[in-house]
Amino acid sequence: MNHKEKVMTLDEFTIQELRNYPGATGQLSGLLRDIGLAGKRVNVEVNKAGIADILGEAGKTNVQGESVKKLDEFANEQFINSLRTSIYCCGVASEEEEHFIAFTDEHSKKSKYVVLLDPLDGSSNIDVNVSIGTIFSVYRRLSPEGEECNLEDFLQPGTQQIAAGYIIYGSSTMMVYATRRSVQGFTLDPSIGEFCLSHPNLKCPPESDIFSVNVGYYYLYEERVRQSIDHFMARNENDRIYRHRFVGCMVAEIHRTLIQGGIFMYPAFGKYASGRLRLCYECNPMSFIMEKAGGMSMANSRQRLLELKPVQLHQRVPIFIGSKNMMETWKDIMNK
């Protein structure tokens, strides 16, 4: 961030965008600010989690049968409550909830947008103080304005996203979001409590020397996937040397890939024969961001992930995502 220039906050940036597009209603801008506010509340608890009674298990499981962390539960409540009190959202679907939630007040029913979110991605990292994050996506509703939203509003292919983003709670807290025009990154300045524009017009480098995959499941992956991993793990003197990284938090993986380039793979395997990560809450928003930044995202070697039509809210899929040139190399290997 160049401190010689005036720092632009998230609010100021969204207002400027409204001025640049006179036909805009301001609903999407308001919605992004509401999401940012909830993210700041979660950030406060993340920062004091080590000294507060908010680490560890909440004593129950979510709809996927996974153990719910206390901070997961807190984040879920914060984002849902922020969107419920907003006048820009008619309903929300959360990874932590079995069903979508339709907001029934008159202002919400007149809103244009629905939001899908993973309130706290990377829960297994909470107790060991490793990066975690929030993922969200925004769709224009299909149901008539003035009525309650319905399931079909949430089961749209990723190509129909109006905006998507994530908040990463790490050494600094950042909010990155994409619209159909660009990808923008904002860093939280704790001294003023505002997200400030720090990474304008983000672009994913087309090449990198980083690949990310959980090699612990190597022998459970299909042969072509193993061959692509072998390519990136090759250590012959004539081969390019790639660095392997794996954090166990999709937000952290995608954030690194967006900034430094690389390829992130989460194939289907074993009991996750249909994939491990969620199409609606994780893969679609991250794919939207990556494509708008110049990268690529695939569900398999021939299927663009954003074109998949969800059949259920908690559907899982494989994902292969990252720098354009590295993804093309991966596709060549997979399609031999």
Side-chain angles (χ1 to χ4, degrees), residues 38 85 143 166 168 215 268 282 300:
T85 56
S143 55
Y166 61 82
I168 182 167
V215 294
E282 296 166 314
N300 56 55

Side-chain angles (χ1 to χ4, degrees), residues 158-186:
T159 51
Q160 298 306 303
Q161 289 173 100
I162 299 299
Y166 61 82
I167 302 170
I168 182 167
Y169 312 102
S171 56
S172 62
T173 296
M174 282 190 66
M175 178 177 177
V176 175
Y177 76 81
T179 64
R180 291 180 177 177
R181 293 186 294 272
S182 62
V183 183
Q184 310 291 339
F186 299 80

Side-chain angles (χ1 to χ4, degrees), residues 11 33 41 56-57 63 67 83 85 99 133 140 149 167 196 221 225 231 235 257 261 267 273 289 304:
D11 282 359
R33 294 196 297 270
R41 290 171 176 160
E57 312 289 345
V63 66
S67 179
L83 293 168
T85 56
H99 304 291
R140 185 182 294 272
C149 60
I167 302 170
C196 299
Y221 298 145
V225 172
H231 169 82
R235 288 296 182 265
T257 304
I289 296 167
R304 181 186 176 207

Side-chain angles (χ1 to χ4, degrees), residues 87-104:
I87 61 173
Y88 308 113
C89 178
C90 63
V92 61
S94 167
E95 184 185 304
E96 299 297 331
E97 305 288 339
E98 184 174 0
H99 304 291
F100 73 91
I101 300 170
F103 301 145
T104 58

